[in-house]
Amino acid sequence: MKASHTPAPRPSSGHADHGRIVEEGQPCLDSLQLEHLEREFRTWAKDSKRADVTISRKRILLIFLLIRHTGAKLHEVLDLNPLADIDHDRLIVTFGKSIPEQVRSVPLAHPLALEIRDMFADDAFRNTAGQALGVDPAFVRRKFYERALACGFPKTLGSPEMIRKSRGVELMQSNMPLPAVQMYLGHSTPNLTSAFVSFSEDEIRAITSSFLQRESHRKTSARNSFFGKITGIRPADIQAEVELTTLDGQIISSVITLDSLHRLGLKTGRLATVEVKAPWVTLYKTEKEPLCTAENRIPGVITRIKRGRVNTEYVLRIGPDTELCVITTTDSLRRLELQERDSVWAVFGSYATILRVD
């Protein structure tokens, strides 16, 4: 692993095929930067010892999450009645109920719906934010700008409008159909037809819901699956090395054939997933990065050990939301004297990976 920190933020530009979401050349945040901003909001929301300040910050966090994950406009979110307008069973949030001609329903990813429900399980929070999120828009913008600056972004890239547009570009880059993205963002005239197929609004909504659940699962996916953005491609005569930067800032190296590179349509900026099988990972019990030929070297802490007579399974925490599973012989456990809470390095080569795209 060549780095273990989130890379310095650099605004990306909307490509020509995103022209209906952002204007060509207009900067926006990419998936990794949006994730960095979301974590900054979450850390800030918890970083207060005063109960009233914590509740106020949680309300701003909720406003951010709704814009970040539903593509809603700021005024739509501020007009929301969370207890009445969010259907946790059907995974839908309905905006614009106060203006009948502007009513629209947007699918919610299941983890976000659960998180919002947990927020309102707190009586104090429900009593202050349950009927309406009505917060002064200028105050919201100021807090959004502050969090963007804390991430090292220009404050304009942290505006509610830019987060909404960045979400649209993120979905387009993840291959969500343009009509679905347009409807998701509430565009007044989504293009529901193409040369070969037409979609009803219900079908578009179903496509969007399915996509969001897949996206959510991918970002919080099972062990040994690294989701992120391709940040480097080095082709050679027969094979190419592909570097993927994860949401935790780790850089994972994968070697694939040139045929696979072209067949998958890989290019820098595309979202992808790198997987590694548990038996292909080796553990080093050391505080310092081990000297070895494996390209991927990741520090972690052992959280669970499941011993067997022949093999032993280790679960490592390698990031805020990432676990890595390693399987070795039980004899190795005895030799290394590994225990829970030990700091270790997990290493695996570029050839031991599988690279997937949607």
Side-chain angles (χ1 to χ4, degrees):
M1 185 182 71
K2 300 175 179 58
S4 60
H5 300 288
T6 302
R10 293 170 53 193
S12 62
S13 296
H15 299 293
D17 57 344
H18 308 139
R20 301 186 189 186
I21 307 302
V22 296
E23 301 204 357
E24 187 173 356
Q26 183 179 15
C28 61
L29 300 175
D30 63 27
S31 290
L32 301 186
Q33 294 164 337
L34 285 168
E35 180 69 15
H36 185 31
L37 184 59
E38 181 171 332
R39 290 182 178 179
E40 169 60 30
F41 267 95
R42 293 184 183 280
T43 300
W44 170 76
K46 296 177 182 177
D47 191 22
S48 176
K49 296 181 180 179
R50 287 179 48 182
D52 59 335
V53 174
T54 297
I55 290 174
S56 175
R57 290 185 178 186
K58 282 178 64 177
R59 187 159 47 193
I60 298 297
L61 170 63
L62 177 56
I63 293 169
F64 169 81
L65 291 175
L66 287 168
I67 295 174
R68 160 75 178 98
H69 291 288
T70 72
K73 303 179 180 72
L74 176 59
H75 75 83
E76 290 179 317
V77 175
L78 295 184
D79 289 343
L80 198 68
N81 180 338
L83 295 180
D85 299 341
I86 298 178
D87 189 327
H88 298 283
D89 295 325
R90 296 173 58 222
L91 300 178
I92 287 176
V93 55
T94 301
F95 297 109
K97 282 187 175 180
S98 60
I99 307 176
E101 61 272 17
Q102 295 184 9
V103 173
R104 67 188 187 95
S105 295
V106 177
L108 282 178
H110 188 245
L112 177 60
L114 289 179
E115 181 175 3
I116 294 174
R117 186 174 64 186
D118 289 344
M119 281 186 179
F120 285 97
D122 179 351
D123 290 339
F125 185 77
R126 185 171 63 252
N127 290 337
T128 59
Q131 297 304 313
L133 290 176
V135 182
D136 179 12
F139 178 78
V140 173
R141 291 179 187 281
R142 187 162 66 250
K143 295 305 173 185
F144 275 43
Y145 293 152
E146 289 173 2
R147 305 279 53 83
L149 291 171
C151 292
F153 304 152
K155 74 173 189 177
T156 53
L157 291 184
S159 71
E161 294 77 16
M162 187 52 65
I163 293 169
R164 163 181 154 81
K165 291 176 181 178
S166 297
R167 176 56 169 159
V169 172
E170 178 183 42
L171 294 174
M172 289 289 292
Q173 290 177 333
S174 298
N175 296 322
M176 181 185 279
L178 175 61
V181 177
Q182 290 176 313
M183 183 175 291
Y184 181 84
L185 295 177
H187 286 194
S188 58
T189 56
N191 179 14
L192 302 182
T193 63
S194 68
F196 301 104
V197 66
S198 62
F199 298 93
S200 69
E201 291 192 7
D202 286 343
E203 288 170 331
I204 289 292
R205 194 169 290 112
I207 291 171
T208 303
S209 179
S210 174
F211 185 94
L212 294 178
Q213 305 315 321
R214 240 183 17 254
E215 178 193 54
S216 177
H217 174 74
R218 184 177 56 196
K219 290 186 178 180
T220 59
S221 60
R223 308 164 189 165
N224 299 32
S225 182
F226 300 91
F227 172 75
K229 182 175 67 171
I230 295 174
T231 50
I233 298 176
R234 286 189 287 275
D237 295 337
I238 301 174
Q239 297 176 313
E241 181 185 22
V242 179
E243 286 189 349
L244 179 136
T245 301
T246 72
L247 299 177
D248 294 324
Q250 296 156 344
I251 298 178
I252 306 298
S253 172
S254 178
V255 171
I256 62 174
T257 65
L258 290 180
D259 178 65
S260 296
L261 180 71
H262 299 312
R263 178 168 48 83
L264 296 174
L266 299 183
K267 59 184 179 180
T268 56
R270 182 160 186 185
L271 302 178
T273 300
V274 171
E275 299 174 358
V276 59
K277 293 184 178 180
W280 295 349
V281 184
T282 302
L283 291 180
Y284 285 78
K285 187 180 180 181
T286 173
E287 294 289 337
K288 295 182 179 180
E289 183 172 353
L291 293 175
C292 62
T293 59
E295 292 81 3
N296 300 297
R297 301 180 292 277
I298 304 174
V301 175
I302 297 175
T303 58
R304 293 191 299 281
I305 299 176
K306 184 178 180 180
R307 297 172 176 84
R309 285 185 296 178
V310 177
N311 296 323
T312 295
E313 178 187 82
Y314 306 87
V315 177
L316 279 60
R317 174 66 63 182
I318 61 173
D321 303 304
T322 309
E323 287 185 337
L324 186 67
C325 178
V326 182
I327 295 178
T328 69
T329 64
T330 299
D331 284 343
S332 298
L333 173 68
R334 298 191 185 99
R335 288 198 306 271
L336 294 176
E337 299 180 343
L338 293 173
Q339 299 178 1
E340 291 182 3
R341 294 187 293 277
D342 280 350
S343 295
V344 295
W345 285 79
V347 307
F348 54 94
S350 299
Y351 288 95
T353 61
I354 301 171
L355 193 149
R356 302 183 188 278
V357 295
D358 285 341

